[in-house]
Amino acid sequence: ITSIEQFAAMTPRQRAVAYTARFAPALLPAVLRAGIAQIDSSSAEKFMTPLYPTGSRDREVVNRPGVADRIIEGYRYTVAQGQKAFQIDAWHVTRDWSALVAGSDCPLHLIHGELDPVVSLRSVREFAQARARAHVVEIEGEGQLLLYARPGPVLAEVADFVRRCLVQP
């Protein structure tokens, strides 16, 4: 997230958490408690469903057998670590990491869904274009849930990147 304009593409709940995390982190625990309570209750699906709106590619993926259960299991794992885990995640997700990236010479291989509603493909392209060592792989027709939607191609990209990084000239 290099600018707050990127928040506009998020779903209302994600946008509210992002603004709170970025500009009023002291209020974040109160905001997160409501979501954590939903996850802890028997209505974890009610927490998840608004994140992937009806008609979106990500909702199609969530509706596949077993996917929602896996995502909810991840939420429950995070909640088991306490509210602090969500606070840390929200803080990191809403920050501009550009300075950290500038301080490194490691290659960047960004795999991104064309239809990601949280971080737009346009913003990922702009981020990569500003860094010569960055490469973007765009997965057409997919959203945020790339690993659930197309695990084979995503893992093949990761494996290919690792092999290239490990090969000595």
Side-chain angles (χ1 to χ4, degrees), residues 7-138:
F7 293 168
M10 298 177 181
T11 63
R13 181 188 298 164
Q14 289 167 318
R15 189 170 43 252
V17 171
Y19 277 124
T20 305
R22 184 81 171 251
F23 300 110
L27 299 176
L28 195 56
V31 172
L32 294 176
R33 270 195 285 281
I36 289 170
Q38 263 191 325
I39 293 168
D40 277 340
S41 73
S42 59
S43 51
E45 197 162 312
K46 288 181 183 174
F47 172 84
M48 178 189 65
T49 306
L51 299 176
Y52 311 109
T54 302
S56 70
R57 175 62 180 142
D58 288 328
R59 175 60 75 86
E60 290 174 21
V61 173
V62 165
N63 287 340
R64 290 181 184 172
V67 172
D69 294 337
R70 286 186 184 99
I71 292 172
I72 289 170
E73 182 181 322
Y75 293 153
R76 291 194 193 285
Y77 176 78
T78 303
V79 167
Q81 298 174 62
Q83 178 178 307
K84 195 72 173 166
F86 275 111
Q87 281 182 263
I88 291 167
D89 181 61
W91 189 88
H92 285 291
V93 167
T94 59
R95 294 291 168 259
D96 179 357
W97 297 4
S98 299
L100 294 173
V101 173
S104 168
D105 60 356
C106 294
L108 298 170
H109 194 72
L110 308 168
I111 306 169
H112 204 79
E114 168 194 29
L115 304 175
D116 186 330
V118 177
V119 178
S120 72
L121 180 56
R122 178 191 53 75
S123 69
V124 174
R125 286 176 183 151
E126 289 171 1
F127 183 85
Q129 287 169 352
R131 291 145 186 91
R133 60 195 165 80
H135 174 71
V136 179
V137 175
E138 300 175 12

Side-chain angles (χ1 to χ4, degrees), residues 153-165:
V154 170
L155 293 175
E157 281 291 337
V158 172
D160 199 40
F161 176 66
V162 169
R163 278 191 289 277
R164 284 194 311 274
C165 289

